[in-house]
Amino acid sequence: MGDMPQIGGAPVVTLKADAPPGRSGFVEATILPGRGMMLLQARVRRPPGDILDALFAPPVEEAARRLDGGPDDFAGNQAFLFGGAILAPFANRIRGRPLRETREIEAHVDGRRVRLPRNWGGKAPGAEEYAMHGLILDAAVPFEQPGPERVTGRLEAGDFGGRWPSQTELAFDWRLNDGALSLRIEAVNVGAEVLPMGIGWHPYFALPSGDRRQARLRLAAALRAEVNDYDEVLPTGRLQRTRGSVYDFGGETGAALGDLHIDDCFTGLRREGGRASVEVHDPAGGLGFRIDTPSPAVKAVQVFAPPDRPFVALEPQFNLADPFGEVWPAEVDTGMARLPPGGRTSYEVRLCALAVGT
């Protein structure tokens, strides 16, 4: 491992496997154990044999510059701006009271007062800042690679540096198999208190055509969480029906994104055969991607797709934004799992490449 490039103080791991003949499939994946087991890149082979990058992400050398001590990498922020970061013990945003002279907020998590990094927020003057996308973005995870197509890791996260209730252990398992890339995460409460847990994954899918407006989204979700605006992107506490709206992507072929700016959290996911799915298609580029999850704890999918960028981010996750926020009515399940001492929960996703046409 000494000659391998390193990011986050750990070697970059490359998985390799053959894709099934005659159809599109994943043949390579680049994992960063030094950055919370995030996926940096995945490569797809399409018939008759061309190789494409699936994710919007820089090369390893540039990723190392951005992720290893860059000025904009407070609390690991750079990890969720490209590639596919893993989010835990919460996905999305958590609001709280900003603490003076620190880059922290004081937030209430399951009735307990905690201090979280104030690592994101709106860009407009006076916009609110908050905690974003969990506490493992810059975590170094001890790992093993039992074969060329698999890497596993185990993180004794404890109380995440005093920032979260109880004590957590996280186990990660990435695999390339039969042209698909799969991820499994298991969280175990090894402490004496109830453990609130939210897990997510944040992949940015590159569009070969570069034209996001003609990209199509397929997501069968009954509800969309209304937000205050697309700068702070904070929930109002209202869930709106998607059917018949511009956010209705539940048809057999989904719907084109057009000029719609989207940074929205969808819930009320429809499951078929015990699985929820989300797809993005690039008809002009001839390629699409589908994420399937059998995990019943996945209650939401965040979609981030600015009209002028050549990517669509699809983020299956346990929880809605600001899951402990006062804006949510008591009857709304905001998605956080609550694990008793000794309890566990799992997160599973399987990523496939699709051949699509105009």
Side-chain angles (χ1 to χ4, degrees):
M1 293 186 183
D3 296 333
M4 296 174 64
Q6 295 204 354
I7 294 179
V12 173
V13 175
T14 300
L15 307 184
K16 293 181 180 290
D18 290 330
R23 62 183 175 91
S24 298
F26 287 94
V27 294
E28 187 175 301
T30 306
I31 312 296
L32 304 184
R35 295 305 298 252
M37 296 295 287
M38 73 175 284
L39 177 68
L40 175 61
Q41 188 54 270
R43 293 178 177 86
V44 177
R45 187 178 69 206
R46 296 189 305 183
D50 56 328
I51 304 291
L52 298 178
D53 287 340
L55 300 187
F56 178 80
V60 169
E61 295 76 13
E62 182 182 343
R65 289 194 295 270
R66 293 176 61 174
L67 293 170
D68 278 344
D72 299 321
D73 194 37
F74 171 65
N77 280 2
Q78 287 291 315
F80 64 77
L81 299 183
F82 53 79
I86 294 173
L87 319 175
F90 64 91
N92 224 302
R93 296 144 175 83
I94 288 184
R95 302 174 71 181
R97 179 177 66 87
L99 299 175
R100 295 179 62 184
E101 300 180 359
T102 74
R103 297 185 70 178
E104 295 179 311
I105 60 170
E106 182 181 83
H108 291 274
V109 171
D110 258 6
R112 175 171 164 176
R113 194 174 297 174
V114 300
R115 293 166 68 122
L116 299 174
R118 182 158 41 106
N119 62 319
W120 204 248
K123 306 304 180 187
E128 184 174 339
E129 295 180 316
Y130 37 75
M132 186 73 157
H133 286 334
L135 301 171
I136 67 166
L137 297 167
D138 56 0
V141 179
F143 73 96
E144 295 180 354
Q145 189 172 8
E149 75 295 334
R150 184 184 180 199
V151 63
T152 63
R154 183 172 295 274
L155 178 65
E156 295 181 2
D159 60 4
F160 297 91
R163 295 188 181 277
W164 203 255
S166 201
Q167 302 281 319
T168 301
E169 285 187 1
L170 293 167
F172 307 86
D173 192 338
W174 282 105
R175 301 187 190 214
L176 271 178
N177 182 43
D178 195 31
L181 178 62
S182 63
L183 167 65
R184 188 178 193 277
I185 305 168
E186 184 174 72
V188 183
N189 183 1
V190 295
E193 304 175 63
V194 171
L195 170 64
M197 179 57 58
I199 304 175
W201 182 43
H202 196 308
Y204 287 80
F205 292 104
L207 304 174
S209 71
D211 182 4
R212 198 233 64 166
R213 287 173 172 81
Q214 55 84 54
R216 301 185 70 85
L217 176 66
R218 183 173 182 266
L219 173 58
L223 302 167
R224 165 187 164 264
E226 183 187 70
V227 295
N228 62 336
D229 58 41
Y230 285 125
D231 182 44
E232 294 176 323
V233 200
L234 294 171
T236 66
R238 292 186 289 271
L239 296 177
Q240 299 182 330
R241 295 282 175 183
T242 59
R243 188 169 184 177
S245 75
V246 295
Y247 301 99
D248 186 353
F249 302 104
E252 185 174 344
T253 60
L257 291 173
D259 291 315
L260 181 67
H261 182 103
I262 187 165
D263 191 359
D264 292 275
C265 191
F266 295 84
T267 189
L269 306 179
R270 186 174 73 218
R271 296 177 182 271
E272 298 177 358
R275 295 175 178 268
S277 300
V278 57
E279 298 180 10
V280 60
H281 296 180
D282 180 8
L287 190 64
F289 302 99
R290 183 179 73 246
I291 303 175
D292 294 312
T293 176
S295 301
V298 172
K299 303 288 180 58
V301 174
Q302 181 86 15
V303 180
F304 175 52
D308 58 346
R309 303 301 302 277
F311 63 73
V312 173
L314 307 177
E315 309 162 39
Q317 55 199 42
F318 282 17
N319 60 278
L320 303 179
D322 197 27
F324 305 105
E326 295 180 353
V327 297
W328 292 112
E331 65 272 14
V332 173
D333 177 5
T334 58
M336 294 292 289
R338 289 174 172 84
L339 309 181
R344 62 187 63 217
T345 188
S346 64
Y347 176 96
E348 295 183 63
V349 287
R350 186 173 186 266
L351 173 61
C352 298
L354 309 171
V356 299
T358 54

